[in-house]
Short mmCIF file of all heavy atoms in Angstrom, two decimals:
data_model
loop_
_atom_site.label_atom_id
_atom_site.label_comp_id
_atom_site.label_asym_id
_atom_site.label_seq_id
_atom_site.Cartn_x
_atom_site.Cartn_y
_atom_site.Cartn_z
N ASN A 24 -198.77 40.52 -62.41
CA ASN A 24 -199.15 41.91 -62.18
C ASN A 24 -198.34 42.89 -63.02
O ASN A 24 -198.34 44.10 -62.77
CB ASN A 24 -199.00 42.26 -60.70
CG ASN A 24 -200.14 41.73 -59.85
OD1 ASN A 24 -201.21 42.33 -59.81
ND2 ASN A 24 -199.93 40.59 -59.20
N GLY A 25 -197.62 42.34 -63.99
CA GLY A 25 -196.91 43.18 -64.95
C GLY A 25 -195.60 43.76 -64.44
O GLY A 25 -195.11 44.74 -65.00
N THR A 29 -186.00 39.60 -61.66
CA THR A 29 -184.95 38.65 -62.03
C THR A 29 -184.59 37.83 -60.81
O THR A 29 -184.36 38.39 -59.73
CB THR A 29 -183.71 39.38 -62.56
OG1 THR A 29 -184.08 40.18 -63.69
CG2 THR A 29 -182.64 38.38 -62.98
N LEU A 55 -203.33 29.08 -50.54
CA LEU A 55 -203.74 30.45 -50.84
C LEU A 55 -202.69 31.15 -51.69
O LEU A 55 -203.02 31.90 -52.63
CB LEU A 55 -203.98 31.23 -49.55
CG LEU A 55 -205.08 30.71 -48.63
CD1 LEU A 55 -205.18 31.58 -47.38
CD2 LEU A 55 -206.42 30.64 -49.35
N ILE A 70 -201.30 16.27 -56.73
CA ILE A 70 -201.57 15.67 -55.42
C ILE A 70 -201.36 14.16 -55.46
O ILE A 70 -201.81 13.47 -56.37
CB ILE A 70 -203.00 16.01 -54.96
CG1 ILE A 70 -203.10 17.50 -54.63
CG2 ILE A 70 -203.40 15.17 -53.74
CD1 ILE A 70 -204.50 17.97 -54.30
N GLN A 76 -202.67 10.26 -45.18
CA GLN A 76 -202.72 9.28 -44.10
C GLN A 76 -201.55 9.51 -43.14
O GLN A 76 -200.44 9.85 -43.56
CB GLN A 76 -202.62 7.86 -44.65
CG GLN A 76 -202.69 6.78 -43.57
CD GLN A 76 -202.50 5.37 -44.12
OE1 GLN A 76 -201.89 5.17 -45.18
NE2 GLN A 76 -203.01 4.38 -43.42
N LEU A 86 -198.93 -0.21 -33.28
CA LEU A 86 -199.67 0.88 -33.90
C LEU A 86 -200.54 1.56 -32.85
O LEU A 86 -201.41 0.94 -32.23
CB LEU A 86 -200.54 0.35 -35.05
CG LEU A 86 -201.37 1.38 -35.81
CD1 LEU A 86 -200.47 2.39 -36.51
CD2 LEU A 86 -202.28 0.68 -36.82
N ARG A 98 -204.54 19.21 -46.20
CA ARG A 98 -203.08 19.24 -46.33
C ARG A 98 -202.60 18.16 -47.33
O ARG A 98 -201.85 17.27 -46.97
CB ARG A 98 -202.43 19.00 -44.97
CG ARG A 98 -202.87 20.00 -43.91
CD ARG A 98 -202.15 19.80 -42.61
NE ARG A 98 -202.53 20.81 -41.63
CZ ARG A 98 -201.80 21.18 -40.58
NH1 ARG A 98 -200.64 20.60 -40.37
NH2 ARG A 98 -202.23 22.09 -39.74
N GLU A 105 -191.88 18.66 -58.26
CA GLU A 105 -192.95 18.90 -59.23
C GLU A 105 -193.59 20.27 -59.01
O GLU A 105 -193.96 20.95 -59.97
CB GLU A 105 -193.98 17.78 -59.13
CG GLU A 105 -193.53 16.47 -59.73
CD GLU A 105 -193.29 16.61 -61.23
OE1 GLU A 105 -194.28 16.67 -61.98
OE2 GLU A 105 -192.11 16.70 -61.64
N ILE A 109 -193.72 23.43 -61.91
CA ILE A 109 -194.82 24.22 -62.47
C ILE A 109 -194.60 25.71 -62.23
O ILE A 109 -195.04 26.54 -63.04
CB ILE A 109 -196.20 23.76 -61.94
CG1 ILE A 109 -196.36 24.01 -60.45
CG2 ILE A 109 -196.45 22.30 -62.28
CD1 ILE A 109 -197.78 23.78 -59.94
N GLU A 112 -192.10 26.77 -64.96
CA GLU A 112 -192.75 26.80 -66.27
C GLU A 112 -193.71 27.97 -66.42
O GLU A 112 -194.07 28.35 -67.54
CB GLU A 112 -193.49 25.47 -66.51
CG GLU A 112 -192.55 24.29 -66.71
CD GLU A 112 -193.28 22.96 -66.82
OE1 GLU A 112 -194.51 22.95 -66.58
OE2 GLU A 112 -192.64 21.95 -67.14
N SER A 113 -194.14 28.55 -65.29
CA SER A 113 -195.09 29.66 -65.34
C SER A 113 -194.42 31.01 -65.56
O SER A 113 -195.12 32.03 -65.72
CB SER A 113 -195.89 29.70 -64.03
OG SER A 113 -195.11 30.22 -62.95
N LEU A 131 -176.02 50.91 -51.36
CA LEU A 131 -175.50 52.06 -52.08
C LEU A 131 -176.21 53.34 -51.68
O LEU A 131 -175.91 54.41 -52.20
CB LEU A 131 -175.66 51.85 -53.59
CG LEU A 131 -174.92 50.65 -54.20
CD1 LEU A 131 -175.27 50.50 -55.67
CD2 LEU A 131 -173.42 50.79 -54.01
N PHE A 178 -181.24 12.41 -40.10
CA PHE A 178 -180.53 11.69 -41.16
C PHE A 178 -181.58 11.21 -42.17
O PHE A 178 -182.46 10.43 -41.83
CB PHE A 178 -179.77 10.50 -40.61
CG PHE A 178 -178.57 10.86 -39.77
CD1 PHE A 178 -178.67 10.94 -38.39
CD2 PHE A 178 -177.35 11.14 -40.36
CE1 PHE A 178 -177.58 11.27 -37.61
CE2 PHE A 178 -176.25 11.48 -39.59
CZ PHE A 178 -176.37 11.55 -38.21
N ALA A 244 -171.94 4.02 -41.40
CA ALA A 244 -172.79 5.11 -40.90
C ALA A 244 -174.17 4.59 -40.48
O ALA A 244 -174.67 4.92 -39.40
CB ALA A 244 -172.94 6.18 -41.97
N ALA A 249 -178.15 3.14 -36.55
CA ALA A 249 -179.11 2.11 -36.13
C ALA A 249 -178.84 1.66 -34.70
O ALA A 249 -179.78 1.27 -33.98
CB ALA A 249 -179.04 0.92 -37.08
N LEU A 262 -185.65 1.06 -42.08
CA LEU A 262 -185.63 2.35 -42.75
C LEU A 262 -184.26 3.02 -42.64
O LEU A 262 -183.97 3.98 -43.36
CB LEU A 262 -186.72 3.25 -42.18
CG LEU A 262 -188.15 2.81 -42.51
CD1 LEU A 262 -189.16 3.47 -41.58
CD2 LEU A 262 -188.47 3.15 -43.97
N CYS A 266 -181.39 1.30 -46.48
CA CYS A 266 -181.48 2.43 -47.41
C CYS A 266 -180.62 2.21 -48.66
O CYS A 266 -179.55 1.61 -48.62
CB CYS A 266 -181.11 3.73 -46.73
SG CYS A 266 -179.38 3.90 -46.26
N ARG A 273 -179.04 16.21 -41.88
CA ARG A 273 -179.65 17.54 -41.94
C ARG A 273 -179.61 18.11 -40.52
O ARG A 273 -180.40 17.71 -39.67
CB ARG A 273 -181.10 17.47 -42.43
CG ARG A 273 -181.29 16.75 -43.76
CD ARG A 273 -180.56 17.45 -44.90
NE ARG A 273 -180.86 16.83 -46.19
CZ ARG A 273 -180.21 17.07 -47.32
NH1 ARG A 273 -179.21 17.95 -47.31
NH2 ARG A 273 -180.54 16.47 -48.44
N GLY A 304 -193.75 21.14 -40.94
CA GLY A 304 -194.70 21.12 -42.04
C GLY A 304 -195.09 22.50 -42.51
O GLY A 304 -195.84 22.64 -43.48
N GLY A 314 -194.12 34.75 -50.31
CA GLY A 314 -193.87 35.22 -51.66
C GLY A 314 -195.10 35.86 -52.28
O GLY A 314 -195.01 36.91 -52.92
N GLU A 336 -193.92 43.26 -43.90
CA GLU A 336 -193.12 42.80 -42.77
C GLU A 336 -193.93 42.78 -41.47
O GLU A 336 -193.74 41.89 -40.63
CB GLU A 336 -191.87 43.68 -42.61
CG GLU A 336 -190.86 43.44 -43.72
CD GLU A 336 -189.72 44.43 -43.72
OE1 GLU A 336 -189.78 45.43 -42.97
OE2 GLU A 336 -188.75 44.22 -44.49
N LEU A 356 -193.41 17.70 -28.40
CA LEU A 356 -194.29 16.54 -28.41
C LEU A 356 -193.64 15.35 -29.12
O LEU A 356 -193.84 14.19 -28.74
CB LEU A 356 -195.61 16.88 -29.10
CG LEU A 356 -196.57 17.78 -28.33
CD1 LEU A 356 -197.75 18.17 -29.23
CD2 LEU A 356 -197.07 17.10 -27.07
#
Side-chain angles (χ1 to χ4, degrees):
N24 282 281
T29 302
L55 298 179
I70 291 174
Q76 181 184 24
L86 181 63
R98 304 183 177 203
E105 286 297 284
I109 66 171
E112 291 175 352
S113 75
L131 298 175
F178 289 95
L262 291 162
C266 68
R273 306 297 186 192
E336 288 171 351
L356 287 173

